[in-house]
Amino acid sequence: MSKLDSKIPDGALEQKWTSYRSTVPLVNPANKRNLEILVVGSGLAGSSVAATLAEMGYKVKVFCFQDSARRAHSIAAQGGINAAKNYQNDGDSVYRLFYDTIKGGDYRSREANVYRLAEVSGNIIDQCVAQGVPLAREYGGLLSNRSFGGTQVQRTFYAAGQTGQQLLLGAYSALQRQVGLGSIQMYTRHEMLELVTIDGVARGIIARNLITGELEKHFGHAVLLCTGGYGNVFFLSTNAMGSNATAAWKANKKGAFFANPCYTQIHPTCIPVSGDHQSKLTLMSESLRNDGRIWVPKKKEDAEAIRAGKKKARDLAEDDRDYYLERRYPAFGNLVPRDVASRAAKERCDAGFGVNATGQAVFLDFQYNMKEKYGRSEAKKLDIANPTDAQLKELGKNVIKEKYGNLFDMYKQITGVDPYEEPMQIYPAVHYTMGGLWVDYNLMTTVPGLYSLGEANFSDHGANRLGASALMQGLADGYFIIPYTIGAYLNTEVSRMSAEKAKADSIDKLKTQHPAFDEALKNTQAHIDKLLSINGTKSVDHFHKKLGKVMWEKCGMARNANGLKEAIEEIRAIREEFWKDLRVTGTANEYNPELEKAGRVADFLELGELMCMDALQRNESCGGHFREEYQTSEGEAQRDDANYSYVAAWENKGNGQFELHKEILEFKAIKVAQRSYK
Amino acid sequence: MSSGNMNLTLKIWRQKNVSTAGKMVSYQVTDISPDMSFLEMLDVLNEQLIQKNEEPIAFDHDCREGICGMCSLYINGRPHGPGSGITTCQLHMRSFKDGDTIIIEPWRAKAFPVIKDLVVDRSAFDRIIAKGGFISVNTGSAQDANNLPIPKHDADEAFNSAACIGCGACVAACVNSSAMLFVSAKVSQLSLLPQGQPERKQRALDMVHQMDVEGFGSCSNTGACEAECPKGISIENIARLNREYLIASLTEKEPKKGSGDN
Ligand SMILES: Cc1cc2nc3c(=O)[nH]c(=O)nc-3n(C[C@H](O)[C@H](O)[C@H](O)COP(=O)(O)OP(=O)(O)OC[C@H]3O[C@@H](n4cnc5c(N)ncnc54)[C@H](O)[C@@H]3O)c2cc1C
Ligand code: SF4
Ligand code: FES
């Protein structure tokens, strides 16, 4: 019997959420004031849920490790946010968004959750606009849309190349409003280092004040982990430097199952690695694929000449270019989903057609659309009858600048190359983690009272997330889902509280005085002391880079059983060395970034191994998980629905032991098919 | 590919914590590549310091792509260093040459106390936003987004103001340590949009009031903030804030704590 109960409501798919919402027990307003909720994370998921719960009357505390809630990594999202508004009248609908998301995820997500996500997507846009989020508009004053990969409709809302920033600032302002009203207590520069459970129920956290180093105990009737993704296991990724898995990993050790850890998204369009000094990778938004065409030289000798600096992209005639996505996938072309685009780039580069010094890059070229699409239409508007090539380029450049100006500037700043003149060079990089804490329909983990939202949970994207769907999911979870689903649990808390009213040592009276908090604090302190007492010779980064390299090479874009087995051994060895030879400077009782990093990398060293174990047990290819042994004759991912149509949820048994639990996925509304974008 | 050939002298502010006096300390770094970012150059220095068992330099950073507003640094007398329209994390070493001496200090302002080395406390900005940098709309009460058409021009202008990343370079650049550019950007964004109208006057009063409480100086129109702002926030925002404030102080009573409670 599985320990996993996904708690999907009965009824027809279209009715589930509606009937759930109208029947879920409500918490009496007078009781809300007595219920304390801890929100860890202030990204789109954390800020939106904290603001909403505070508006509803709960007492909320929010934690983030940055110096302000506004700096959570959601701020960096560029391209856009999906919603099934059908404002473009191009045939979009809730069902279509649902369908695209399930298909995009390679049929490895839960129907009921995804349908609900599509259902509430429209409300998100309404809410954000009401908050004053300046989304892009058409001249008529209505909202503008663009396309993202894996879809054939225009449903992506955006704010230039800064969509995440604008959405987060909207949620952050709602959060700060509640801070000003005294309904939220904000703890910036605080890092959660432990989950406190009592009799298996989440009751609070231990957080470290990053300025003073002091460990603090915080009590909550519910704990919400909104701590983002774990892409930094790979060292190099598009995540922020501080993005980490610690909160989720500590929760895993306390009983929260970790689902599908091996599903990582490698984004096809990032600025390639330039050297060993590299500390992070920068994304060039997928929205660029609306107007950029991806290609490599057709002939190897041209690729070699370009790598040697003897030829430039411009020197190659149209016929000598291989627009490999358009060639392989005529129906979706440059807009195939990310996993497909990334693998295709790797395939070309591995075959010797890569175009930068390292041979690990392909071109993303805007010349064609700049001139032919935008140049011509602008010329027409201006009644220029026979525009010259230079005129077309100039006119088109202005349009491109308005659409992607900040991305082009960013590219130039980093590479020193002007992308209006030369095509961009791009290569896939680690970007997003579909895996995360297992949650049921209520977004509750396997630990009662512990929830997970946003990228930190595993919920909606299956084995591959479609572009512009993470912002949607984070805000859906925070604004529209948890505020309902948490009521079901908190109601039981209210009953328990009144039943235990007379009890002198009830948790409600003791709160952080409960011995479980002291125990957790003691363990956390011991962990820190241990890190500081190794006194070895190597820095944290040394180990992190080593781990990242193993992960990228053996558990990255392509995996195989042998490589994964090796990776597991290698990671164990790195971990052993870490605990023997790590050097952390400074002390525990001060601002100490090295100590922060050390704790995070210690957790990555365990999670990395689990990712490999998960990849090894999944003897199929699906979405971002590509096992070389399982591919079609055309090199496409080959799923095995008969044996692997399940969510892999890992229970941490301690001492590096894990038990796999399976949640079987049932598809009732959608016919499962081989994914095709041809 | 990797290591380069630049050798540099760095003079860096070291300060143990808020209650200890700080001082400038010199360091040498070698083999710096022009493709490195400025912060990656500091990573190299820190790795070197760790090898020598010395404490690495503390500096704020997170996204390393110019959007979170976490990085700071006053480099050779300029917030976010040489170059315009970029943050420190977007600054690359190709902007320097072999043999250069680079002076690195924290933001200096009374309202931004030093936490350690180059890290300062900018929480005053959060408190200003908490006083009025929002539209009081609870989740769930919004109408359909397209029921409220907004002229593209207004939306674009609001977006330009909303692009502020809250880094504090404007304060660091200003002789008076004024936060007017930061505050005016938020006030402008919301006053340019129809959604922001109901609380428009109170917002201006409350945010300016909090700015004063935090100990930021007043604005004497030197324009240094605009010149150093990595996001090109225009000084026109300040002119707009002044107008908003003037009108508000003529018609509203006085600053009060958060309006529009539920
Ligand atoms: C460069 C980039 C571009 C992207 N572009 C898009 C896009 O265009 N469209 C789209 O839909 N998605 C995009 N994504 C994905 C999307 O931005 C993220 O998945 C999403 O924003 C994650 O939001 P979140 O709230 O779950 O987490 P985050 O925004 O990452 O927030 C995590 C929060 O948790 C806190 N935290 C973490 N650990 C701890 C701890 N131990 N203690 C205390 N606090 C902690 C952090 O301080 C932070 O506040 C992009 C991602 C990247 C990296
Ligand atoms: S106005 Fe400019 S300099 Fe000031 S905080 Fe905003 S982005 Fe930074
Ligand atoms: S580190 Fe985010 S803006 Fe520089």
Side-chain angles (χ1 to χ4, degrees):
Chain A
M1 195 48 214
S2 173
K3 284 195 194 172
L4 298 169
D5 177 2
S6 53
K7 303 216 173 79
I8 297 168
D10 292 333
L13 186 63
E14 301 77 20
Q15 292 308 316
K16 286 184 198 291
W17 180 235
T18 314
S19 50
Y20 178 101
R21 272 192 310 168
S22 20
T23 52
V24 66
L26 299 177
V27 178
N28 174 335
N31 288 329
K32 284 186 183 150
R33 284 278 159 227
N34 302 322
L35 290 168
E36 298 174 47
I37 299 175
L38 304 183
V39 177
V40 187
S42 66
L44 286 178
S47 286
S48 62
V49 81
T52 306
L53 293 175
E55 287 162 12
M56 291 165 78
Y58 295 108
K59 270 168 82 172
V60 180
K61 285 182 182 176
V62 180
F63 301 81
C64 71
F65 65 75
Q66 294 92 345
D67 71 333
S68 165
R70 65 182 291 156
R71 308 207 202 281
H73 199 48
S74 294
I75 203 84
Q78 302 171 347
I81 175 166
N82 289 330
K85 281 287 200 185
N86 195 28
Y87 283 162
Q88 304 306 323
N89 196 26
D90 55 2
D92 201 7
S93 64
V94 166
Y95 184 85
R96 198 176 288 275
L97 173 53
F98 156 72
Y99 176 83
D100 286 347
T101 308
I102 295 267
K103 177 184 171 195
D106 220 354
Y107 305 92
R108 290 293 175 262
S109 42
R110 212 187 264 151
E111 273 189 348
N113 285 56
V114 176
Y115 194 86
R116 174 178 66 184
L117 173 66
E119 262 181 300
V120 303
S121 63
N123 302 41
I124 297 172
I125 302 303
D126 301 340
Q127 181 62 27
C128 295
V129 167
Q131 289 169 344
V133 172
L135 294 173
R137 289 178 184 269
E138 305 290 352
Y139 282 100
L142 301 180
L143 292 164
S144 174
N145 290 113
R146 57 187 173 201
S147 311
F148 256 60
T151 67
Q152 289 172 314
V153 295
Q154 295 203 322
R155 64 160 74 99
T156 305
F157 295 79
Y158 64 99
Q162 286 146 259
T163 316
Q165 180 199 27
Q166 293 308 316
L167 295 172
L168 181 59
L169 292 182
Y172 158 80
S173 66
L175 174 119
Q176 288 303 128
R177 172 174 163 239
Q178 296 302 320
V179 171
L181 294 170
S183 317
I184 293 182
Q185 265 179 289
M186 186 70 218
Y187 294 83
T188 60
R189 293 198 196 265
H190 273 68
E191 182 164 17
M192 166 179 164
L193 293 180
E194 186 58 294
L195 175 74
V196 182
T197 55
I198 300 174
D199 301 329
V201 176
R203 290 293 175 208
I205 66 169
I206 303 295
R208 181 166 179 267
N209 176 330
L210 299 182
I211 298 179
T212 62
E214 193 188 339
L215 294 180
E216 300 171 358
K217 305 181 278 188
H218 294 273
F219 165 83
H221 292 91
V223 177
L224 277 49
L225 299 187
C226 316
T227 45
Y230 52 89
N232 275 354
V233 168
F234 292 84
F235 186 68
L236 287 181
S237 81
T238 63
N239 285 3
M241 300 304 287
S243 299
N244 70 91
T246 289
W249 194 245
K250 299 297 193 226
N252 179 249
K253 292 188 168 184
K254 285 290 174 79
F257 295 2
F258 207 104
N260 301 333
C262 81
Y263 290 166
T264 36
Q265 176 162 81
I266 316 281
H267 196 295
T269 57
C270 301
I271 300 180
V273 174
S274 77
D276 297 340
H277 56 263
Q278 196 97 24
S279 60
K280 76 152 283 163
L281 293 169
T282 302
L283 175 73
M284 286 286 106
S285 166
E286 173 164 321
S287 59
L288 293 172
R289 287 201 269 148
N290 275 297
D291 286 312
R293 298 177 70 194
I294 296 179
W295 63 275
V296 291
K298 243 184 217 162
K299 298 188 211 129
K300 260 193 198 150
E301 48 290 13
D302 283 339
E304 280 155 14
I306 289 176
R307 284 204 290 272
K310 290 184 194 139
K311 271 191 181 177
K312 293 212 154 197
R314 291 285 145 268
D315 300 334
L316 264 58
E318 238 356 79
D319 273 355
D320 292 327
R321 302 174 177 197
D322 176 15
Y323 295 94
Y324 57 87
L325 288 177
E326 297 168 35
R327 168 170 61 78
R328 286 179 65 179
Y329 308 100
F332 282 70
N334 293 296
L335 286 174
V336 291
R338 292 175 174 175
D339 53 337
V340 177
S342 290
R343 272 198 297 280
K346 177 173 161 38
E347 189 276 330
R348 283 294 79 192
C349 292
D350 288 353
F353 295 92
V355 294
N356 75 355
T358 61
Q360 305 248 299
V362 300
F363 289 127
L364 175 62
D365 197 339
F366 300 89
Q367 290 297 317
Y368 181 83
N369 277 9
M370 200 174 334
K371 292 182 196 157
E372 298 306 321
K373 182 169 161 193
Y374 297 117
R376 290 224 180 268
S377 83
E378 290 298 294
K380 209 166 204 169
K381 279 191 210 156
L382 295 169
D383 284 332
I384 304 174
N386 288 311
T388 63
D389 198 60
Q391 272 177 316
L392 286 177
K393 189 170 165 198
E394 196 50 38
L395 291 168
K397 188 174 164 180
N398 292 334
V399 180
I400 294 278
K401 196 174 247 169
E402 189 180 356
K403 292 189 134 178
Y404 314 111
N406 72 318
L407 298 172
F408 275 54
D409 293 347
M410 205 192 261
Y411 183 87
K412 185 173 176 192
Q413 190 57 42
I414 293 175
T415 61
V417 175
D418 180 359
Y420 292 105
E421 299 301 326
E422 297 288 323
M424 289 183 178
Q425 295 191 352
I426 51 158
Y427 198 70
V430 174
H431 178 59
Y432 181 89
T433 48
M434 280 74 70
L437 291 175
W438 185 91
V439 289
D440 63 17
Y441 188 75
N442 299 320
L443 304 184
M444 201 198 280
T445 67
T446 45
V447 174
L450 180 71
Y451 291 79
S452 183
L453 291 70
E455 193 174 336
N457 73 26
F458 89 106
S459 67
D460 297 337
H461 308 292
N464 173 57
R465 174 177 70 81
L466 289 182
S469 285
L471 302 183
M472 167 173 75
Q473 182 226 327
L475 290 178
D477 290 358
Y479 283 135
F480 298 108
I481 296 171
I482 282 282
Y484 286 98
T485 61
I486 203 169
Y489 175 75
L490 290 176
N491 245 311
T492 64
E493 273 294 284
V494 170
S495 317
R496 183 196 55 75
M497 284 157 79
S498 70
E500 293 182 1
K501 209 161 191 157
K503 213 171 130 191
D505 62 348
S506 80
I507 179 69
D508 311 295
K509 294 209 180 70
L510 290 177
K511 294 194 174 167
T512 59
Q513 305 297 316
H514 192 287
F517 277 87
D518 295 325
E519 178 74 18
L521 189 128
K522 213 175 74 203
N523 293 341
T524 310
Q525 188 64 56
H527 185 66
I528 290 176
D529 292 343
K530 198 167 151 203
L531 286 167
L532 283 165
S533 65
I534 304 169
N535 281 325
T537 63
K538 307 252 165 47
S539 69
V540 183
D541 281 0
H542 167 87
F543 294 102
H544 197 178
K545 284 182 185 176
K546 247 177 134 167
L547 169 69
K549 194 155 177 289
V550 173
M551 294 301 295
W552 178 243
E553 281 169 8
K554 301 192 167 155
C555 194
M557 256 188 290
R559 302 132 181 216
N560 62 54
N562 279 341
L564 289 164
K565 283 179 199 153
E566 284 164 18
I568 290 172
E569 290 309 316
E570 289 167 28
I571 294 168
R572 286 183 185 157
I574 300 172
R575 197 163 63 219
E576 212 180 291
E577 197 196 337
F578 175 91
W579 286 107
K580 269 198 207 127
D581 198 21
L582 174 71
R583 172 180 295 174
V584 183
T585 49
T587 65
N589 306 317
E590 62 179 336
Y591 183 78
N592 188 346
E594 282 298 311
L595 177 60
E596 293 166 30
K597 284 199 285 186
R600 293 168 191 163
V601 172
D603 293 335
F604 284 147
L605 281 166
E606 296 179 6
L607 173 56
E609 183 182 340
L610 183 65
M611 290 166 71
C612 295
M613 285 167 62
D614 188 43
L616 187 58
Q617 66 82 29
R618 193 167 277 281
N619 292 316
E620 65 162 352
S621 294
C622 57
H625 168 69
F626 190 74
R627 281 279 301 271
E628 286 164 344
E629 306 95 312
Y630 308 100
Q631 49 182 309
T632 66
S633 55
E634 288 165 314
E636 305 295 341
Q638 178 103 60
R639 285 197 330 261
D640 176 356
D641 292 329
N643 295 304
Y644 291 94
S645 185
Y646 60 74
V647 175
W650 296 88
E651 179 179 4
N652 194 327
K653 299 281 212 184
N655 294 324
Q657 300 301 307
F658 295 88
E659 184 181 339
L660 174 63
H661 300 267
K662 297 178 183 175
E663 177 195 346
I664 304 297
L665 293 167
E666 286 177 61
F667 293 91
K668 292 183 180 146
I670 277 187
K671 198 174 142 295
V672 178
Q674 186 68 38
R675 206 166 55 136
S676 167
Y677 293 93
K678 294 207 184 262
Chain B
M1 43 188 219
S2 164
S3 71
N5 46 14
M6 287 161 72
N7 298 331
L8 303 162
T9 303
L10 308 172
K11 295 193 167 159
I12 304 181
W13 182 258
R14 303 293 320 245
Q15 180 173 345
K16 192 160 174 49
N17 53 38
V18 69
S19 47
T20 316
K23 61 171 192 294
M24 299 299 290
V25 178
S26 285
Y27 300 93
Q28 304 292 326
V29 281
T30 54
D31 301 331
I32 297 298
S33 149
D35 287 334
M36 281 183 192
S37 73
F38 194 82
L39 298 183
E40 285 167 349
M41 183 274 293
L42 288 181
D43 291 343
V44 170
L45 171 63
N46 277 348
E47 184 65 40
Q48 215 170 283
L49 292 175
I50 294 168
Q51 287 316 317
K52 290 198 277 182
N53 232 338
E54 288 175 33
E55 255 203 81
I57 320 277
F59 59 91
D60 262 332
H61 64 110
D62 199 29
C63 75
R64 294 207 177 183
E65 54 184 76
I67 194 72
C68 74
M70 187 106 178
C71 64
S72 50
L73 303 194
Y74 204 70
I75 302 165
N76 288 343
R78 292 183 64 186
H80 295 305
S84 61
I86 52 166
T87 52
T88 293
C89 61
Q90 292 176 296
L91 177 63
H92 277 68
M93 295 314 291
R94 67 180 81 90
S95 303
F96 299 90
K97 42 180 210 312
D98 187 32
D100 276 359
T101 295
I102 307 176
I103 299 172
I104 311 171
E105 296 166 89
W107 282 176
R108 303 218 186 258
K110 187 174 126 209
F112 290 164
V114 171
I115 291 173
K116 182 171 184 173
D117 296 341
L118 304 169
V119 176
V120 301
D121 178 355
R122 287 170 288 195
S123 53
F125 273 8
D126 283 338
R127 291 188 291 273
I128 295 174
I129 297 293
K131 289 297 178 200
F134 47 75
I135 286 167
S136 298
V137 52
N138 285 358
T139 305
S141 50
Q143 60 169 347
D144 185 88
N146 261 356
N147 282 348
L148 183 72
I150 300 176
K152 180 168 168 26
H153 176 265
D154 295 356
D156 287 349
E157 233 189 306
F159 172 79
N160 290 338
S161 300
C164 164
I165 57 173
C167 63
C170 44
V171 176
C174 176
V175 284
N176 309 316
S177 301
S178 166
M180 278 294 270
L181 196 61
F182 169 77
V183 174
S184 68
K186 187 46 76 182
V187 166
S188 290
Q189 176 204 340
L190 299 178
S191 69
L192 282 162
L193 295 170
Q195 304 93 303
Q197 297 312 308
E199 298 165 286
R200 182 171 171 177
K201 294 176 181 168
Q202 196 65 50
R203 174 181 307 119
L205 290 182
D206 292 347
M207 290 180 73
V208 169
H209 175 69
Q210 187 63 30
M211 176 175 75
D212 294 341
V213 169
E214 297 290 347
F216 291 103
S218 53
C219 172
S220 54
N221 283 312
T222 66
C225 53
E226 181 188 60
E228 297 296 2
C229 171
K231 294 293 143 180
I233 303 295
S234 158
I235 202 162
E236 279 169 38
N237 288 291
I238 297 188
R240 190 181 292 108
L241 172 58
N242 284 331
R243 286 198 300 277
E244 298 282 327
Y245 187 79
L246 184 68
I247 298 170
S249 44
L250 292 175
T251 54
E252 297 296 288
K253 280 173 254 92
E254 57 197 23
K256 68 168 165 50
K257 201 176 140 281
S259 46
D261 195 357
N262 47 5

